[in-house]
Amino acid sequence: MTREQLETRQIPIYFAVVLAAIAFGLLATDTARHLQSLVTPAIAVLMYAMFLQIPFLDLRQGLGNRRFMAALLLANFILVPLLVWALTRGLVAHPAILIGALLVLLTPCIDYVVVFTHIGKGNTCLTLAATPVLLLVQLLLLPVYLALILGDGSGVSLRIAPFVEAFVLLIVLPMLLAVLTSAGARRSRAIATWNDAWAWLPVPAMALVLVVVIASQIAVVLRDLDRLLPVLPVYLGFMLLAPLLGFISARLLRLPATEARSVTFSAATRNSLVVLPLALALPEDLRGLAAAAVITQTLVELVSELVYVRLVPALVRP
């Protein structure tokens, strides 16, 4: 199997992995629970593998198409946060679920959105080139959005130290290491070979993360399913409305069809696996249910993407 074949088969691979992880998590609950200790290192490996594929050293390419970038930023950091604020008003009485939903819905995806965009006939190259911008802007704005939406009367008390630790371990260090090795690959054949080998790993690393996350947490999700019910309408509403906001942004900036599809997929696809450790870094009375809310969004999104890859190309036409 070539690397391209592996990448184009990501979706069926992920669905098979998810089903296997659910079965393992339910049939061997005690064993699966111990996999939680692997969540952080598995995500760190995934992030390093993904960051190596992101052209940080060619950031100007992502900024070159100004109308595309404007539509992408408008959709992800103005319209979608307004939608999330409106959808989550009914969760104020459920602080753990609220913080979990906010963490996942306010952060646009930077990894497998490229795959969905490719399958959905969007502009994959522009999506990939824009990922450094999406990552950096969401890291800057997430604390601001959380502060604005949660406010002082939400009953959610957050300690900054666990967030900083998770941010440094899972974002900053893998990103810096990826940038350094990418720079070194331009001067060293050995480092270039190293990078080429890691180019095979995003799909296996994502599969590993799905296994350790879902297998270790699925029992908690099912145990708390009745408490998670309030967040399901939020996720379904997001699934229906977020692509529409992406499409509106693209039309406002008069983007061609392929670029409009890219913005539509970006607005609808969230960064669930990356923010999961942030949910697990919450105070003990919040982390379990918040993490379950994040994982529930992942499961809803994987199903919704199957709908998007068929409807978006049909509806977003030249």
Side-chain angles (χ1 to χ4, degrees):
M1 179 183 292
T2 66
R3 197 179 85 193
E4 183 178 352
Q5 289 173 327
L6 178 64
E7 291 174 349
T8 56
R9 295 173 184 173
Q10 283 186 73
I11 308 306
I13 290 173
Y14 294 156
F15 268 96
V17 165
V18 166
L19 292 176
I22 290 173
F24 178 61
L26 295 179
L27 296 175
T29 304
D30 292 337
T31 302
R33 190 179 297 119
H34 294 297
L35 293 178
Q36 182 170 328
S37 62
L38 299 178
V39 170
T40 296
I43 292 179
V45 170
L46 170 65
M47 295 311 297
Y48 175 67
M50 290 304 309
F51 286 152
L52 279 178
Q53 314 311 310
I54 294 176
F56 287 104
L57 301 178
D58 299 315
L59 186 57
R60 290 179 62 183
Q61 181 184 354
L63 300 172
N65 189 325
R66 295 183 179 180
R67 285 194 300 162
F68 176 77
M69 283 306 309
L72 205 64
L73 295 174
L74 172 64
N76 280 301
F77 300 112
I78 297 179
L79 299 183
V80 166
L82 288 173
L83 172 65
V84 172
W85 173 82
L87 289 175
T88 56
R89 292 307 82 204
L91 298 179
V92 174
H94 311 278
I97 298 175
L98 174 61
I99 186 65
L102 292 178
L103 283 172
V104 70
L105 295 181
L106 290 171
T107 50
C109 183
I110 59 167
D111 38 57
Y112 54 71
V113 66
V114 178
V115 180
F116 295 129
T117 300
H118 174 71
I119 298 173
K121 300 179 180 178
N123 191 317
T124 309
C125 293
L126 275 179
T127 299
L128 183 61
T131 49
V133 180
L134 285 179
L135 175 65
L136 296 174
V137 175
Q138 69 181 267
L139 293 180
L140 291 173
L141 292 183
L142 180 59
V144 177
Y145 289 145
L146 289 176
L148 290 174
I149 296 177
L150 290 175
D152 296 328
S154 64
V156 178
S157 177
L158 299 180
R159 293 180 294 120
I160 190 64
F163 277 86
V164 172
E165 180 181 353
F167 173 73
V168 171
L169 290 176
L170 297 171
I171 303 293
V172 176
L173 290 180
M175 183 169 62
L176 287 177
L177 188 58
V179 171
L180 290 174
T181 51
S182 294
R186 298 185 174 186
R187 303 180 184 89
S188 168
R189 181 172 297 180
I191 298 178
T193 302
W194 167 271
N195 283 7
D196 290 341
W198 274 84
W200 284 82
L201 293 184
V203 175
M206 178 73 77
L208 174 63
V209 169
L210 288 171
V211 168
V212 298
V213 167
I214 293 175
S216 65
Q217 300 295 323
I218 189 64
V220 176
V221 172
L222 293 181
R223 184 193 67 198
D224 294 327
L225 189 58
D226 57 333
R227 300 169 65 190
L228 289 168
L229 289 178
V231 83
L232 292 180
V234 173
Y235 292 156
L236 292 175
F238 187 91
M239 181 185 78
L240 293 171
L241 296 176
L244 180 60
L245 295 183
F247 175 75
I248 291 172
S249 298
R251 281 294 180 256
L252 287 175
L253 274 296
R254 299 179 181 178
L255 298 183
T258 56
E259 295 179 18
R261 292 169 190 154
S262 297
V263 176
T264 301
F265 276 102
S266 180
T269 311
R270 302 290 92 187
N271 219 1
S272 55
L273 296 178
V274 176
V275 300
L276 178 62
L278 298 181
L280 294 172
L282 289 165
E284 188 173 351
D285 59 328
L286 298 174
R287 72 177 63 144
L289 205 53
V294 171
I295 295 165
T296 301
Q297 191 277 337
T298 303
L299 299 175
V300 172
E301 182 173 273
L302 286 173
V303 175
S304 67
E305 292 292 347
L306 293 180
V307 179
Y308 296 154
V309 296
R310 288 163 175 77
L311 285 184
V312 171
L315 298 178
V316 184
R317 294 177 174 273

